[in-house]
Amino acid sequence: MINWSTIDKVYRKLLLTQFFTKGWGKPDAIKRIFEFGKILADRPKCLALINEDYPIKILRDEVKSQYRVLEGMFVSPFAQYLPDLVPEEVKTARFEMIVPACWRSESYKPVCIHLAGTGDHGFWRRRVFTAKPLIKEYGIGSLSLENPFYGCRKPKDQLRSSLHNVSDLFVMGGSLMLESIVLLRWLEKNGYGPLGLSGVSMGGHMATLASTVWDKPIPLIPCLSWSSATPAFTRGAMSGAIPWDLLRTQYVSHSEYEQEIKKQLLKCPKTDSFRLGKDFALNFPESYTDMNKFMSTSKTQSARATPSPSAANSHCPHHCQHSDQGKSDQSETQECCSVSQNEGSNSNYANNLTQPTCNHPHQSPACKSCPRSIDESRESHRANSSTNVSNNPTPTNDEPAKSNAAKSGHSEGRREAIDLQAEADDFMRGVMDVTTYLGNFSIPVDTQMVISVLATQDAYIPRDSVPGLHTIWPGIELRYVSGSHVTAALFKQRHFRQAINDAFCKYCRKYPT
């Protein structure tokens, strides 16, 4: 049997691109993003940020045989609220829209907004593999939005897709959430509908974030993404492209990260990965044994699981086209409605780990997992880092005792370094959770309009360390395609398009207009 996840790992190693090459970003920038994130997480407040008639400029509008192509631009609303955090090139949002030259029905003009995945610069990939095929197969139009920091929005000093700072990722997400509101309102105003959101990989996660700020039911089709970006950057194949040494050094060197920003992470009740990592360390080695048992159980359940047949569309109004492709692809496509047995087991395990069982109420200095001893280790490490020892005493005959003490001190110093390294890693998980974990945002108006497509062996996005999308958004539909993250992105595009059509058909049946 082919281990598809190995392909993801090998592919990632072949890429030379590294992320966050300049580190976290300025502490003040992260603090301001956190504060603004509280508004993004509150749907009414977020919608109030943008005028109903937000100006959009159309640069091109022409008809080519079967298609009508529009290109447009507008100022990103995010840049108006946090202008100094947004590079000049990023401030102008650009999009390409491709719709049928002649709609099948004047009362049914579906358009899906597609957000770009990692490395998807420009529009050609979405135009060729998504937009034009969607029109041919289902009569669905597409609007592709250029990601901040990509394509024509890429800063001049940025290499390819290598975001300079961790904070840039949050600027990207916040920008896309507000820009999606602008485009959805503009499409409604111009008579298009129903409207949907989709994306592959990072684009899928950005689409889910965008759906949380929309105040109406909307078809949502995230492909190859999950409930948080945390596992992708800390445990998945992409984690190898993160300069961890640089991030750890900056975390130790700047007290603001711990003294101010980390306190906000600890105040966040839904920072699941941060708590899970801390509880895992406190309960070691029992937690490690439990994890091995869980993994064995999960693999057994996965082996026993049998694919259920794809649900057939029925009586969809407004000329919504049904697809029979799924019948011939049951051997490679597995569909699961609402809850998958395997994903549910992962979620239960995650929930069990959130119960604190620290047996050190007095926080003994020997307990390196407790907050007080970690603080002491940090201060000791910083003090040692700022002191240069230049004079070494000459050895004497009574050196053995001193030597043992030195070894003990070296061992203690090593433990302190390990503690600080683990704390910096936990900080990364906490920051990612606060800004990307969907449990921290509003729930879509109707989760039954969500179809999530996942790869069976995805090494880029491990799904076993955070609550599942179906857990925080009950009622969604999960579908599976065989293969890895990379192979699914390359060769399963028709399954993504089928899911888009099926989501629009669901919408038509439930909300006929």
Side-chain angles (χ1 to χ4, degrees), residues 69 164 371 376 412:
V69 181
H164 288 157
E376 292 170 353
E412 186 69 18

Side-chain angles (χ1 to χ4, degrees), residues 313-498:
N313 297 317
S314 59
H315 307 293
C316 178
H318 305 301
H319 306 275
C320 184
Q321 185 170 348
H322 310 298
S323 170
D324 295 325
Q325 291 178 341
K327 296 181 181 179
S328 61
D329 299 322
Q330 290 181 2
S331 61
E332 59 179 338
T333 305
Q334 304 173 31
E335 177 179 338
C336 176
C337 297
S338 297
V339 178
S340 159
Q341 180 183 11
N342 197 27
E343 302 296 347
S345 301
N346 296 338
S347 175
N348 291 335
Y349 176 70
N351 293 333
N352 290 338
L353 275 182
T354 60
Q355 302 300 323
T357 57
C358 181
N359 297 320
H360 306 279
H362 302 294
Q363 296 182 356
S364 167
C367 177
K368 294 300 178 181
S369 298
C370 293
R372 191 179 71 177
S373 62
I374 288 178
D375 290 340
E376 292 170 353
S377 297
R378 181 187 306 105
E379 294 306 321
S380 173
H381 182 85
R382 285 176 179 151
N384 292 336
S385 298
S386 60
T387 303
N388 294 322
V389 179
S390 58
N391 298 319
N392 295 323
T394 304
T396 61
N397 294 333
D398 58 340
E399 280 297 309
K402 295 182 180 180
S403 178
N404 291 336
K407 290 180 180 179
S408 176
H410 177 74
S411 177
E412 186 69 18
R414 184 176 181 182
R415 289 182 63 183
E416 292 174 1
I418 292 174
D419 290 336
L420 290 168
Q421 175 176 316
E423 189 180 357
D425 295 350
D426 278 345
F427 182 74
M428 178 66 157
R429 285 187 283 270
V431 168
M432 284 286 177
D433 271 347
V434 168
T435 52
T436 70
Y437 174 54
L438 294 172
N440 291 328
F441 295 84
S442 302
I443 299 176
V445 174
D446 187 351
T447 57
Q448 292 184 350
M449 298 298 103
V450 182
I451 299 179
S452 176
V453 184
L454 307 168
T456 55
Q457 299 183 50
D458 193 329
Y460 267 79
I461 307 177
R463 300 190 291 268
D464 59 353
S465 60
V466 291
L469 191 58
H470 57 283
T471 302
I472 58 177
W473 291 356
I476 74 167
E477 178 181 337
L478 300 181
R479 296 184 180 183
Y480 294 86
V481 294
S482 60
S484 70
H485 191 93
V486 172
T487 58
L490 292 175
F491 306 118
K492 306 295 182 179
Q493 291 285 337
R494 59 192 176 92
H495 297 292
F496 303 158
R497 296 194 300 270
Q498 180 183 334

Side-chain angles (χ1 to χ4, degrees), residues 12 17-21 118 150 161-163 233 238 241-243:
R12 181 61 251 178
T17 304
Q18 268 208 330
F19 297 92
F20 316 138
T21 52
T118 303
Y150 279 20
S161 308
S162 300
L163 300 185
F233 285 100
M238 193 176 290
I242 309 297

Side-chain angles (χ1 to χ4, degrees), residues 235 280 284-298 349 353 464:
R235 295 180 59 239
F280 184 91
F284 189 86
E286 289 81 3
S287 55
Y288 184 76
T289 303
D290 292 340
M291 183 186 70
N292 285 335
K293 291 180 180 179
F294 162 73
M295 294 301 293
S296 299
T297 303
S298 178
Y349 176 70
L353 275 182
D464 59 353

